[in-house]
Amino acid sequence: MPTPLSTPANVAASSSDAFLSIRNIRKRFGAFTALDHVSLEVGKGEMVCLLGPSGCGKTTLLRTIAGLEKQDDGSIHAHGRDISHLPPQSRDYGILFQSYALFPNLTVAQNVAYGLNARRMTRAQMQQRVTDMLAMIGLAGSEKKYPGQLSGGQQQRVALARALAPSPSLLLLDEPLSALDAQVREHLQLEIRRLQKEFNITTLMVTHDQEEAMVMSDRIAIMHHGRIEQFDTPDRIYRHPATPFVADFVGQANWLPFQRVSERQVSVGPLMLSVEQEKQKVDSGRLFCRPEAVDVLPAVDAANRFSARVVDQIYLGNRYRMMLELDELPGRRLMADVSNDVRAQLPDVSAQRMWIALPQHSLHLFA
Ligand SMILES: Nc1ncnc2c1ncn2[C@@H]1O[C@H](COP(=O)(O)OP(=O)(O)OP(=O)(O)O)[C@@H](O)[C@H]1O
Ligand SMILES: [Mg+2]
């Protein structure tokens, strides 16, 4: 049999070439189910974010992979071996939490070297490794400092260097940036992403910040009530949410109740809307449309073109959010996000009517 080629980074892994394979994990705390048959396949070198509301099970999943919680059911495989029942120290990962968790009484160098003690390394090799790691995180020359002499962002870099120093095959991050201010956080997001790619280290990161997940991930797993609702690329999560929960949780959403009229048409109250043909026909439910998909400068012959009144406008810096009321749907608000350029092309819209269109390709139907 020919040797299989290794999976390139950023390529979605199938079950056969996954580096980390989580199969049907169930975890209960008493009567409460924290993880409800979770399965996830992560490719070698892939960066995956676990994103979801508070209490959905993100930390529990990470801790289970780390061996800090014991699953009730299911198994975890890394590098082709079953690690489900191994103690944490035998699982070969680096881990980083929200709190920096550096040893305050150890120097930066001693902190970074901490994980190396278990490796068979000479003193000189260890020193070299520490120097290299500090250079890589932009803290060269800080060996002798103590954590208390560093800023929060610097401490978290040291904690990252400590996690990476033993060259683990897996990196587990639990909201590592959430204690930092916005600017430092954005900088470190890119930094972690760069290091993660450079090391080609398979990484699972927990966050509840959707922008962070979008910026950093190859793929995102959206979690809700102990389940994975969708596991997909950031672009597909945003543009093709698989469930109403995902559509609502990521980005902003307009929802309208609809009834099917024909294969390509649905009604929303008195409105008739053309929709794209679907794989699975939904007869009634809720129709979803992103605010930026609303066309406020529609062509005369545009499909789904309606007259609307501008009820309110909010300036958001890089765009306007217009609150619209369609003439035929009184009392129901529709959000439209409009770039400053497009906004400048509109007439004075306050208290006036304008045409808008809901492009077919941007309408998603959920039962
Ligand atoms: N040791 C425990 N004993 C009992 N319940 C627990 C325990 N650990 C977690 N839970 C419960 O399991 C659920 C999931 O917790 P978890 O910490 O995984 O959530 P999370 O998604 O990480 O949330 P957050 O974003 O707030 O960190 C929560 O309802 C929590 O109360
Ligand atoms: Mg958590």
Side-chain angles (χ1 to χ4, degrees):
M1 228 171 82
T3 327
L5 294 171
S6 63
T7 318
N10 312 342
V11 169
S14 75
S15 56
S16 57
D17 59 9
F19 176 82
L20 175 69
S21 176
I22 296 157
R23 302 179 189 167
N24 253 320
I25 289 290
R26 208 163 49 85
K27 173 69 187 169
R28 285 200 190 164
F29 295 109
F32 179 79
T33 302
L35 297 175
D36 190 5
H37 297 95
V38 169
S39 295
L40 203 62
E41 304 275 340
V42 183
K44 171 73 188 148
E46 201 179 7
M47 169 102 190
V48 167
C49 277
L50 303 174
L51 177 66
S54 186
C56 71
K58 305 181 295 293
T59 295
T60 304
L61 181 56
L62 210 69
R63 286 176 56 83
T64 306
I65 296 165
L68 303 170
E69 292 295 350
K70 181 97 177 74
Q71 67 279 359
D72 298 319
D73 218 343
S75 61
I76 302 165
H77 302 250
H79 229 326
R81 69 184 179 138
D82 188 343
I83 62 166
S84 315
H85 304 286
L86 293 181
Q89 64 275 17
S90 308
R91 294 194 183 196
D92 186 26
Y93 60 81
I95 195 161
L96 185 55
F97 297 102
Q98 175 180 343
S99 54
Y100 319 128
L102 295 174
F103 302 110
N105 54 332
L106 297 184
T107 63
V108 165
Q110 287 166 335
N111 264 288
V112 174
Y114 185 79
L116 299 175
N117 289 324
R119 309 263 152 159
R120 290 208 187 93
M121 282 178 123
T122 65
R123 213 182 165 70
Q125 281 172 326
M126 249 160 76
Q127 252 168 23
Q128 187 57 49
R129 183 82 180 145
V130 169
T131 307
D132 291 348
M133 294 306 298
L134 289 180
M136 216 174 50
I137 56 157
L139 283 175
S142 304
E143 280 87 344
K144 293 201 170 73
K145 287 190 179 165
Y146 284 88
Q149 296 171 293
L150 301 175
S151 71
Q154 290 168 333
Q155 289 184 49
Q156 202 57 323
R157 280 164 197 247
V158 174
L160 181 65
R162 184 177 63 181
L164 287 173
S167 305
S169 61
L170 182 64
L171 184 61
L172 303 174
L173 308 170
D174 192 354
E175 310 220 21
L177 307 177
S178 62
L180 305 171
D181 71 57
Q183 227 175 355
V184 179
R185 193 164 67 220
E186 270 172 38
H187 184 72
L188 272 180
Q189 283 169 358
L190 301 177
E191 193 89 331
I192 290 178
R193 186 64 167 137
R194 178 180 68 80
L195 290 172
Q196 183 267 329
K197 278 185 171 166
E198 205 170 294
F199 279 60
N200 194 33
I201 184 169
T202 310
T203 303
L204 214 53
M205 175 166 130
V206 167
T207 178
H208 59 235
D209 179 336
Q210 49 172 289
E211 256 179 59
E212 186 162 287
M214 291 278 168
V215 169
M216 296 183 70
S217 316
D218 292 311
R219 285 191 291 172
I220 300 174
I222 304 281
M223 290 187 70
H224 183 39
H225 289 326
R227 288 167 170 269
I228 292 181
E229 293 249 336
Q230 188 171 3
F231 183 36
D232 228 325
T233 59
D235 176 61
R236 286 199 50 87
I237 293 265
Y238 189 80
R239 298 203 309 163
H240 299 281
T243 65
F245 174 79
V246 175
D248 249 344
F249 187 73
V250 179
Q252 298 284 330
N254 287 306
W255 291 104
L256 297 169
F258 76 89
Q259 295 284 333
R260 179 167 301 277
V261 175
S262 67
E263 189 125 295
R264 308 286 290 263
Q265 271 206 320
V266 298
S267 65
V268 175
L271 289 191
M272 283 296 178
L273 287 168
S274 308
V275 294
E276 286 186 339
Q277 204 159 355
E278 311 150 76
K279 281 186 212 111
Q280 283 156 332
K281 209 175 86 180
V282 182
D283 284 329
S284 67
R286 295 194 299 159
L287 175 154
F288 150 81
C289 173
R290 294 270 180 224
E292 68 274 18
V294 177
D295 183 359
V296 295
L297 288 171
V300 180
D301 58 351
N304 302 333
R305 180 171 172 267
F306 306 106
S307 170
R309 189 170 68 87
V310 181
V311 180
D312 200 3
Q313 297 185 64
I314 308 163
Y315 180 56
L316 297 171
N318 59 349
R319 64 194 194 283
Y320 279 87
R321 175 157 299 157
M322 303 173 79
M323 306 304 288
L324 306 170
E325 194 177 272
L326 304 189
D327 292 356
E328 291 171 83
L329 287 179
R332 201 173 270 286
R333 297 281 168 91
L334 202 69
M335 284 184 285
D337 280 2
V338 175
S339 73
N340 295 331
D341 284 351
V342 169
R343 174 70 180 67
Q345 293 174 55
L346 295 173
D348 176 20
V349 289
S350 53
Q352 282 192 30
R353 293 209 143 58
M354 60 187 278
W355 288 104
I356 63 116
L358 302 173
Q360 294 174 56
H361 63 84
S362 66
L363 305 180
H364 301 263
L365 307 179
F366 291 103

